[in-house]
C-alpha cells in the first residue's frame, strides 16, 4: 500500500494520505479518462466513487507489490 501510494504521488496524482481500509483512492487528474480506459481492459478497480467528496477518484483494492508494479507501469505509459 505504501509503495503504490508513493509511486502515484511521484506521478503527480492526488492520493488520500491516511486510509484505514484495504483500498487506495487516487485522482488521475487530466489523465483520468485515458488511464481508466487502458487499465479497465485487464485490471478490476472502481472507476469512480459515488460519494460527492470522492468525485473523480478511482478506488484500488490492496494487492501485492508485484501487482502494484504492473499497474504503475501501465499508468506510466499513459501519462507520457
Amino acid at each position: 500500500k505504501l509503495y503504490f501510494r508513493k509511486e502515484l504521488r511521484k506521478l503527480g496524482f492526488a492520493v488520500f494520505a491516511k486510509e484505514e481500509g484495504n483500498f487506495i483512492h487516487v485522482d488521475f487528474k487530466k489523465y483520468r479518462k485515458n488511464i481508466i480506459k487502458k487499465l479497465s481492459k485487464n485490471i478490476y478497480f472502481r472507476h469512480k466513487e459515488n460519494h460527492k467528496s470522492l468525485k473523480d477518484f478511482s478506488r484500488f483494492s490492496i494487492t501485492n507489490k508485484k501487482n502494484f508494479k504492473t499497474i504503475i507501469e501501465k499508468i506510466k505509459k499513459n501519462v507520457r
Side-chain angles (χ1 to χ4, degrees):
K1 186 175 182 176
L2 296 174
Y3 165 79
F4 193 52
R5 184 182 297 134
K6 182 177 123 186
E7 293 299 313
L8 290 167
R9 284 190 177 141
K10 279 186 196 176
L11 293 169
F13 300 126
V15 181
F16 286 158
K18 293 184 179 181
E19 291 186 294
E20 300 298 326
N22 65 339
F23 48 82
I24 293 177
H25 286 94
V26 57
D27 181 357
F28 292 121
K29 303 185 185 240
K30 66 181 182 181
Y31 301 104
R32 184 177 191 281
K33 187 176 179 180
N34 194 37
I35 289 173
I36 288 172
K37 182 179 175 183
K38 298 293 182 177
L39 289 182
S40 62
K41 290 180 181 179
N42 56 9
I43 297 170
Y44 179 76
F45 64 102
R46 282 192 195 169
H47 303 154
K48 75 178 199 177
E49 292 286 21
N50 293 326
H51 195 276
K52 62 185 174 183
S53 69
L54 296 172
K55 185 177 186 273
D56 295 329
F57 279 82
S58 296
R59 178 176 163 163
F60 290 83
S61 295
I62 300 304
T63 185
N64 60 47
K65 192 172 182 178
K66 179 182 176 188
N67 289 340
F68 275 145
K69 284 184 178 185
T70 300
I71 295 168
I72 290 294
E73 288 307 311
K74 289 179 183 288
I75 291 170
K76 284 180 180 179
K77 289 179 183 177
N78 291 285
V79 296
R80 294 181 183 159

